[in-house]
Amino acid sequence: MSVAAAALLVATTGLASAQTQSTAPSTHGGTKLSFPATLGGATFDRSVNYAAPPANNPGQGIAYYYSTPKRLVVSVQVFDLGRRIPAGSENPTVTGQFDTELASAEQQFKFAGYTQFQKPSVPSTCTYGSITFRCVTYSGVTQGNQRIFSKLLLTGFRENFIKIRVDWSQAHQQTSADADAALQAFVPALMR
């Protein structure tokens, strides 16, 4: 993983995940989603089980991290915040949580010292395989004056939130087309 990708990963996953190193099962019990060693061409890096010590926060669920051959980082967080989540991307529970996730991402970028945070004024919907997500691409400039990007996806699936994010940097000759190709392969393989 590149230094910029590692910095982005820490910045956009927050300090809790940087400090929480517990492992998670390869199949999520509630959703039955499987997280094998390779998925849609990406390689499993690590997982964080927020229900386990030291986080002890079951509502935050489990996060799984993968890297692609082009060194993009793909993360999946499966969580429910202690309640049942309606299916789909357009219900008020998902749209409200999406707004919370986007505000959190902006704060995490600022905390990491990134500047010039940019995002579209209105999120859109993205479909990968048969699943539709609320989505947005946002970016910021690192202290090394390089723009980094993240595409955030969120939907309700089997009574949980499924948050997927892909991170990339133009400094590493990575593009939004690379990120979309990674998602086109990864998401359908995950959410069969």
Side-chain angles (χ1 to χ4, degrees):
M1 182 182 315
S2 69
V3 174
L8 178 64
L9 182 62
V10 170
T12 58
T13 57
L15 293 177
S17 67
Q19 298 169 354
T20 306
Q21 296 299 319
S22 58
T23 59
S26 62
T27 299
H28 183 266
T31 62
K32 306 298 183 221
L33 293 176
S34 181
F35 295 90
T38 59
L39 187 61
T43 304
F44 179 79
D45 288 328
R46 68 185 181 97
S47 61
V48 176
N49 184 348
Y50 292 104
N56 296 318
N57 191 346
Q60 289 297 314
I62 301 171
Y64 300 86
Y65 297 88
Y66 284 80
S67 57
T68 72
K70 290 194 174 195
R71 301 181 314 170
L72 281 76
V73 177
V74 179
S75 65
V76 179
Q77 185 176 356
V78 182
F79 63 106
D80 63 11
L81 299 176
R83 61 183 192 235
R84 290 183 173 172
I85 308 305
S89 63
E90 295 299 321
N91 63 72
T93 302
V94 171
T95 59
Q97 184 62 32
F98 186 85
D99 292 342
T100 299
E101 296 291 338
L102 193 53
S104 177
E106 185 171 2
Q107 289 304 311
Q108 290 166 357
F109 264 48
K110 289 177 182 177
F111 181 78
Y114 299 166
T115 60
Q116 300 177 35
F117 186 83
Q118 294 180 352
K119 65 177 173 60
S121 58
V122 178
S124 60
T125 58
C126 302
T127 301
Y128 295 97
S130 62
I131 307 295
T132 300
F133 297 85
R134 194 161 187 78
C135 63
V136 68
T137 298
Y138 55 89
S139 67
V141 175
T142 68
Q143 293 172 351
N145 203 31
Q146 297 179 358
R147 186 159 291 279
I148 55 172
F149 298 84
S150 289
K151 185 168 188 175
L152 172 68
L153 313 172
L154 187 73
T155 198
F157 183 79
R158 298 181 185 159
E159 300 184 352
N160 285 265
F161 289 113
I162 306 296
K163 178 174 81 171
I164 300 174
R165 197 186 69 239
V166 61
D167 304 327
W168 72 96
S169 169
Q170 289 177 331
H172 296 283
Q173 289 74 48
Q174 300 164 330
T175 66
S176 60
D178 294 332
D180 198 54
L183 291 171
Q184 290 289 354
F186 185 88
V187 175
L190 171 65
M191 302 182 78
R192 304 182 214 195

